[in-house]
Amino acid sequence: MPTKTQERLKSQARVLKALAHPTRLLLVEELARQTRCVCELRDAAGVDISTVSKHLSLLRNAGIVKDEKRGLKVFYSLKTPCVLNFFKCVESVQKCSK
Amino acid sequence: MPTKTQERLKSQARVLKALAHPTRLLLVEELARQTRCVCELRDAAGVDISTVSKHLSLLRNAGIVKDEKRGLKVFYSLKTPCVLNFFKCVESVQKCSK
DNA sequence: TCTATATGTGGCTAAAAGGCCAAATAGGCA
DNA sequence: TGCCTATTTGGCCTTTTAGCCACATATAGA
């Protein structure tokens, strides 16, 4: 297999892996509704704030969310709404594969 | 967060996680082209056949591929082509998030 | 400056994932 | 039956992931 293909597959897998966690999916859904700061997201997710922070930086590194500091708080939002298409994809696979 | 929501997120994450690996993405691409037996897939993936077998059973459990035994060989194919939409999703996220 | 709040980082532990090898299983054929 | 091929399974080891706690950093405001 060409190195180029391997690199493509790895980079595609990286995006999928970033989303492949229940908490991170929840974060994406919350951010689809509106921009939120970390402590609001912690309340929504119900895990330690340091855990949320790590999930968010993972999503940021994957190019899925962006952040903006305003005073004490850091507000996160979706970098692009097209990430929401994944939810549709999942749904259709689950539906079709029954 | 309601238990129902947690369950939904977990089950959505399960599908994404099944795809979130370079080798498994390769397997899906190969199977999109045509039905293949395990040893053909091993040649395409370039890893141990037992590893391929485990990836395939993971994909089967996620409802992404199906298998059919013919004589000595087991042929795998996509359970539904709509799983290919994920590739488009990944591409658009990568494109939009630059 | 001192304090309180919000967030990020480092460290540790437990669990999950991914790989290979060896052995088990199943089917075809002499 | 006995052997060969294809696939799966179990075991083991290494790496990665996810969580929490404790601490570091940054900013607002008294």
Side-chain angles (χ1 to χ4, degrees):
Chain A
M1 181 173 23
T3 307
K4 195 176 164 187
T5 303
Q6 287 183 326
E7 286 309 312
R8 175 180 57 79
L9 292 168
K10 261 175 74 176
S11 113
Q12 290 172 323
R14 209 172 297 128
V15 174
L16 289 161
K17 200 182 293 192
L19 292 168
H21 190 281
T23 300
R24 291 194 291 269
L25 286 178
L26 177 76
L27 296 175
V28 169
E29 280 189 341
E30 283 297 314
L31 297 178
R33 291 153 50 88
Q34 62 185 294
T35 293
R36 293 216 184 271
C37 70
V38 183
C39 57
E40 287 170 330
L41 294 170
R42 175 209 49 196
D43 293 342
V47 293
D48 194 272
I49 195 163
S50 69
T51 301
V52 174
S53 181
K54 283 176 183 173
H55 281 309
L56 288 168
S57 77
L58 193 155
L59 288 169
R60 176 161 29 80
N61 290 336
I64 293 169
V65 305
K66 61 184 176 191
D67 61 320
E68 184 197 345
K69 186 153 194 169
R70 293 185 219 152
L72 271 184
K73 299 189 178 178
V74 178
F75 287 89
Y76 282 85
S77 53
L78 295 188
K79 195 153 176 185
T80 157
C82 72
V83 69
L84 299 175
N85 291 333
F86 278 105
F87 289 96
K88 291 192 180 66
C89 278
V90 170
E91 193 186 3
S92 68
V93 166
Q94 289 177 327
K95 196 172 170 185
C96 295
S97 74
K98 268 178 191 166
Chain B
M1 182 172 25
T3 307
K4 195 176 164 186
T5 302
Q6 287 184 326
E7 286 308 313
R8 174 180 60 77
L9 292 168
K10 262 175 73 178
S11 113
Q12 290 173 323
R14 209 173 296 129
V15 174
L16 289 161
K17 200 182 292 191
L19 291 168
H21 190 282
T23 300
R24 291 195 292 268
L25 286 178
L26 177 75
L27 295 175
V28 169
E29 279 190 341
E30 283 297 313
L31 297 178
R33 291 153 51 87
Q34 62 185 297
T35 293
R36 292 214 184 272
C37 70
V38 183
C39 56
E40 287 171 328
L41 294 170
R42 174 208 50 197
D43 294 343
V47 292
D48 194 272
I49 195 165
S50 68
T51 302
V52 174
S53 180
K54 283 176 184 175
H55 281 309
L56 287 168
S57 78
L58 192 155
L59 288 169
R60 178 162 26 81
N61 290 337
I64 292 170
V65 305
K66 62 184 175 190
D67 63 320
E68 183 197 346
K69 187 153 195 171
R70 293 185 218 152
L72 271 183
K73 299 188 176 176
V74 178
F75 287 89
Y76 281 84
S77 53
L78 295 188
K79 196 154 176 185
T80 157
C82 71
V83 70
L84 300 174
N85 292 333
F86 278 104
F87 289 96
K88 292 192 180 67
C89 278
V90 171
E91 193 185 4
S92 68
V93 167
Q94 288 178 328
K95 197 173 173 184
C96 296
S97 74
K98 267 178 189 164

